[in-house]
Amino acid sequence: MSTMTVTVPDIGGAEDVEIIEINVAVGDSVEQEQDLLVLETDKATMEIPCPEAGKIAKILVNVGDKVSEGSEIFELETDAAPAAEEKSEPAAEEKPAPAEEKPAAEEKPASEPAAEEVIELTVPDLGGADEVTVIEIAANAGDEVAEDDSLIVLESDKASMDIPAPRAGTLQEILVSVDDKVKEGDVYAKLLVSGGGSASAKADEKAPAEDKPAAPAAEKPAAEKPAAAPAESKTQTLNEVTDEKDIHNVYAGPSSRRLARQLGVNLTKVKGTGMRGRITKDDIREYVKAVVKQSESGAVGVTGGAGIPAVPAVDFSQFGDIELVKMSKIKKVTAANMSRAWLNVPHVTQFDEADITDLDEFRKSMKAEAEKQGVKLTPLPFMIKAAAASLVAEPSFNVSLHHDGEHIVQKNYVHIGIACDTPNGLMVPVLRDADKKGIYQIAKETNELIDKARNGKLKPNEMQGGCFTISSLGAIGGTGFTPIVNTPEVAIMGVSKAQIKPVWNGSEFVPRNMLPLTVSYDHRAINGADCGRFFTHFVALMSDVRRLVL
Ligand code: CAO
């Protein structure tokens, strides 16, 4: 057992480079080549690998410290026999190319301006690496590129490097593909340039690698930062297709990029928590964990699934003061249910009005008596009664689709759901056997269910088994809305605020109390004509209170 001091290797002549991440802790067992820390110049990030396997005995630096070649960074316990002066000496091929080794633009042979010509772009000096992998193609054939525009991105074990266009021109052809292995001198593209260059101009006219790394996140507008929240639905894939350029612009080091590729993670979706928003390997792991967790729970949030493009996350704090309020469980479940219904059900909504002048007069005349019996008589119990009777009259509405896709479930019971606004969110208690109950009993039981919903006392079985839901915003206002079917039910009614309107009775306009109604239905189970019949029946019952109580 011996202790060696790990020092910063040759980092291409860069001085006072900032440490932006320390990836290990004292006591960690580390492998040879494992990333120990990450340095960042204003041009590039570099991961410093461990020269030997061992155990971290001491960390000699902190994040934010500035280091240069030779700076002592760790003490490492190794199994090797003690030596006199052990300092880490990374192998030649591990070192990034020293700056002076890179051909500089001014080394180009001068030449007379020429007419248009096609030049071959070759892979430049790779700083000692033999073969590297093409990880991104940042431009397409036909693109007009400016000098220094990134064309391809290469990745070795130690670093990723942008290969910039040596001159402005039109890209004729890209001769490599993602995952190809290339080495110094390989021709990777052809560029049409006009005048002023050598006929044999090569890509290595430009210094590669760290000369033009991906822009750090800090340089990007905040709004472009990737989403913190992962995608949500079961069909969400980790690697939704994204423009290669967007991935290329993400602020992440080579090992994070490698991990993202291995796991199929689209880096533009990952929020970086490293310095200046850099994406770390842990960020990628956390992202994957969150996607898997949400996928397993079936929760659906602000982004889409089933091939639906995700809604980009927005950093609202850039527009003003904000605070994050935790969603209640009911709100989250409602969000998931609504998204599921919205995405699965082909909705159609029909509109109508019921003349409830007589019904409302009758209701008001009965109100005091009802109150004596402890019953609050709003229009809702009449609508529940009318809906139950309409379901009996039009059984095509009292169905659900069987999950085998081959059958319709015809229901011989009539349970009505009532959408109820509660402090915790929307709940739908279910009134059972509404077709067999009188108005007072419906009103009484409905009021009890509403109270329970608002006081968090509803039992699960009191929210199950609905055949049809009524969602009433009548006490609040509005002239109409299109509710989402409460699956596995196949239809829902939206009730808006009744208003006195002039109605033509054949000889004159008369003031009538008109109740605006909508019915949304699942067009897989119900046809427009079915809905027309159901709706007309319902409106007729509401318009003639005598028929309703029959
Ligand atoms: N037009 C005019 N007035 C109406 C009305 C209508 N369509 N519906 C109710 N009112 C009146 C009632 O008569 C009552 O007035 P009075 O006391 O003078 O009679 C008043 O409005 C308050 O009614 P209410 O809201 O207390 O009771 P309700 O039976 O009408 O509704 C409930 C109960 C649970 C449906 C309702 O309180 C509620 O939570 N609605 C929200 C439903 C919702 O959020 N749906 C989601 C929409 S998206 O699908």
Side-chain angles (χ1 to χ4, degrees), residues 103 122-127 154 163 183-185 188 203-204 206-209:
T122 58
V123 175
D125 175 2
L126 296 171
L154 306 178
I163 306 298
K183 55 186 186 317
E184 183 181 343
Y188 68 90
D204 58 6
K206 276 280 157 198

Side-chain angles (χ1 to χ4, degrees), residues 437-485:
K437 292 177 179 166
I439 298 284
Y440 274 6
Q441 193 182 352
I442 291 175
K444 191 165 178 295
E445 289 184 19
T446 303
N447 289 339
E448 285 166 6
L449 287 169
I450 293 169
D451 278 352
K452 280 189 181 177
R454 291 190 173 146
N455 294 314
K457 300 241 163 65
L458 272 184
K459 297 193 190 102
N461 67 351
E462 289 172 313
M463 292 181 280
Q464 290 166 354
C467 304
F468 178 82
T469 294
I470 298 179
S471 178
S472 173
L473 295 175
I476 300 168
T479 56
F481 64 103
T482 56
I484 296 175
V485 171

Side-chain angles (χ1 to χ4, degrees), residues 12 54 60 95-96 115 152 158 181 199 207 223 238 246 263 327-329 339 356 378 393 466 519:
L60 306 171
K95 299 175 194 171
I152 59 172
K158 305 287 173 289
K181 304 271 185 219
L238 289 167
D246 291 343
L263 298 176
M327 279 172 91
S328 70
K329 180 121 197 293
S339 300
I356 59 163
T378 65
V519 172

Side-chain angles (χ1 to χ4, degrees), residues 363 367 376-380 418-421 426 450 454 471-476 481 483 495-498 515:
R363 179 182 74 85
K367 229 176 146 193
K376 184 181 165 199
L377 205 55
T378 65
L380 185 64
I418 303 118
C420 182
D421 182 32
L426 187 63
I450 293 169
R454 291 190 173 146
S471 178
S472 173
L473 295 175
I476 300 168
F481 64 103
V495 182
S496 294
K497 191 175 180 64
L515 179 68

Side-chain angles (χ1 to χ4, degrees), residues 287-538:
Y287 172 83
V288 171
K289 265 195 237 164
V291 169
V292 170
K293 197 169 156 209
Q294 286 201 317
S295 162
E296 283 172 358
S297 74
V300 177
V302 292
T303 57
I308 295 164
V311 178
V314 176
D315 175 10
F316 294 97
S317 63
Q318 66 184 306
F319 307 120
D321 190 33
I322 59 161
E323 56 186 289
L324 285 183
V325 182
K326 193 112 183 110
M327 279 172 91
S328 70
K329 180 121 197 293
I330 292 173
K331 277 199 172 137
K332 285 196 270 185
V333 169
T334 303
N337 288 344
M338 292 297 161
S339 300
R340 188 164 39 227
W342 180 258
L343 293 172
N344 281 300
V345 175
H347 280 79
V348 177
T349 305
Q350 288 192 15
F351 299 74
D352 208 339
E353 289 181 315
D355 181 341
I356 59 163
T357 315
D358 298 340
L359 183 146
D360 216 38
E361 272 171 21
F362 173 67
R363 179 182 74 85
K364 282 176 180 152
S365 71
M366 299 300 292
K367 229 176 146 193
E369 185 193 305
E371 260 163 36
K372 277 189 204 146
Q373 297 189 31
V375 173
K376 184 181 165 199
L377 205 55
T378 65
L380 185 64
F382 294 90
M383 291 189 279
I384 294 172
K385 178 84 185 157
S390 303
L391 288 181
V392 173
E394 290 297 333
S396 65
F397 257 63
N398 198 10
V399 300
S400 278
L401 292 166
H402 194 274
H403 57 79
D404 67 6
E406 304 278 333
H407 298 89
I408 295 276
V409 180
Q410 182 69 57
K411 298 167 191 173
N412 299 322
Y413 55 86
V414 181
H415 304 335
I416 304 289
I418 303 118
C420 182
D421 182 32
T422 79
N424 285 325
L426 187 63
M427 300 187 80
V428 187
V430 174
L431 180 81
R432 304 198 114 68
D433 299 316
D435 57 324
K436 298 190 174 77
K437 292 177 179 166
I439 298 284
Y440 274 6
Q441 193 182 352
I442 291 175
K444 191 165 178 295
E445 289 184 19
T446 303
N447 289 339
E448 285 166 6
L449 287 169
I450 293 169
D451 278 352
K452 280 189 181 177
R454 291 190 173 146
N455 294 314
K457 300 241 163 65
L458 272 184
K459 297 193 190 102
N461 67 351
E462 289 172 313
M463 292 181 280
Q464 290 166 354
C467 304
F468 178 82
T469 294
I470 298 179
S471 178
S472 173
L473 295 175
I476 300 168
T479 56
F481 64 103
T482 56
I484 296 175
V485 171
N486 185 22
T487 50
E489 296 165 23
V490 293
I492 182 168
M493 174 167 281
V495 182
S496 294
K497 191 175 180 64
Q499 283 187 64
I500 304 292
K501 284 188 178 176
V503 176
W504 185 252
N505 69 2
S507 52
E508 58 180 344
F509 280 106
V510 288
R512 304 296 293 177
N513 196 3
M514 303 303 289
L515 179 68
L517 299 164
T518 53
V519 172
S520 295
Y521 59 88
D522 182 339
H523 208 334
R524 295 170 303 174
I526 292 173
N527 289 326
D530 301 327
C531 186
R533 279 188 291 270
F534 171 88
F535 215 170
T536 307
H537 192 86
F538 180 91

